[in-house]
């Protein structure tokens, strides 16, 4: 923006000489800053939302892998045992049947990133999924729901056949 100002004087001629003053006004600078703040707020909130969804998807994959590991150990006949998964609010435990809390062979999977198991519905009640030898089937089919701090949820379905998948 160019403005003409008559503030410069030529001392020898005693008359005003025009000079050009250029720059931004305070209102223009404040308006530009407000737009930058608004855009950065929108971008950061979108990234935070995306990050929350990514965390819950990652934890859902970990839960699926843990359940599949227990099933695979049972099918392979590892140690001649049946294996299962014990469900708790912030962790899963892969165990040799029967479940003993202090068994050193238990494998604990902790949920991270503010993700927790908000609910589960297992056939026959309880909080354990136990697999049958050879077939890998289970009588404890059902659904596990994960919840993030941001309120996102992800459901994991365990079928009678023993297959496990996330419900999108």
């Amino acid at each position: 923006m160019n403005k003409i100002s008559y503030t410069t004087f030529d001392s020898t001629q005693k008359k005003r000489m025009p000079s050009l003053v250029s720059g931004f006004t305070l209102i223009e600078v404040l308006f530009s800053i407000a737009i930058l703040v608004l855009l950065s707020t929108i971008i950061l909130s979108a990234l935070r939302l995306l990050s929350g969804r990514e965390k819950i998807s990652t934890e859902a994959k970990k839960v699926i892998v843990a359940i599949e590991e227990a099933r695979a150990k049972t099918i392979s006949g590892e140690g001649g045992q049946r294996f299962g998964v014990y469900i708790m609010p912030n962790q899963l435990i892969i165990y040799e049947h029967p479940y003993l809390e202090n068994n050193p062979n238990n494998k604990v999977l902790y949920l991270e990133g503010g993700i927790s198991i908000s609910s589960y519905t297992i056939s026959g009640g309880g909080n354990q999924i136990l697999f049958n030898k050879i077939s890998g089937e289970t009588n404890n089919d059902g659904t596990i729901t994960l919840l993030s701090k941001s309120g996102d949820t992800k459901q994991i379905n365990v079928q009678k056949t023993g297959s496990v998948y996330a419900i999108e």
Side-chain angles (χ1 to χ4, degrees):
M1 300 213 164
N2 294 331
K3 295 182 182 179
I4 297 177
S5 172
Y6 292 95
T7 57
T8 305
F9 292 94
D10 184 349
S11 60
T12 59
Q13 297 178 358
K14 300 282 186 194
K15 61 180 176 174
R16 292 183 174 181
M17 304 272 304
S19 67
L20 295 177
V21 178
S22 63
F24 296 104
T25 65
L26 181 61
I27 292 175
E28 291 171 329
V29 171
L30 291 176
F31 186 71
S32 298
I33 291 171
I35 289 174
L36 288 174
V37 168
L38 179 65
L39 288 175
S40 61
T41 302
I42 291 170
I43 290 169
L44 287 175
S45 61
L47 287 175
R48 194 173 303 125
L49 181 63
L50 183 60
S51 174
R53 288 184 183 152
E54 186 65 30
K55 284 179 185 176
I56 200 164
S57 291
T58 300
E59 293 305 302
K61 288 174 187 173
K62 286 183 183 179
V63 169
I64 290 170
V65 167
I67 295 170
E68 288 175 340
E69 180 181 340
R71 181 174 185 251
K73 285 182 171 191
T74 301
I75 291 172
S76 71
E78 185 176 309
Q81 297 291 320
R82 293 172 64 195
F83 288 82
V85 177
Y86 189 85
I87 303 168
M88 299 175 76
N90 294 312
Q91 65 187 22
L92 296 175
I93 301 171
I94 300 172
Y95 67 92
E96 293 177 10
H97 183 68
Y99 174 71
L100 299 171
E101 185 175 348
N102 296 319
N103 186 338
N105 295 325
N106 289 347
K107 181 178 177 182
V108 180
L109 167 73
Y110 294 98
L111 298 177
E112 299 172 356
I115 308 298
S116 63
I117 296 174
S118 64
S119 66
Y120 51 87
T121 306
I122 305 296
S123 293
N127 57 344
Q128 299 178 42
I129 301 169
L130 182 62
F131 295 97
N132 299 324
K133 289 183 180 180
I134 301 173
S135 69
E137 294 178 346
T138 183
N139 294 328
N140 309 113
D141 59 308
T143 303
I144 302 169
T145 303
L146 301 180
L147 176 67
S148 71
K149 286 182 180 177
S150 62
D152 293 320
T153 60
K154 185 75 114 175
Q155 287 190 326
I156 299 167
N157 190 21
V158 181
Q159 296 184 319
K160 283 192 173 293
T161 60
S163 66
V164 185
Y165 59 91
I167 300 171
E168 297 298 326

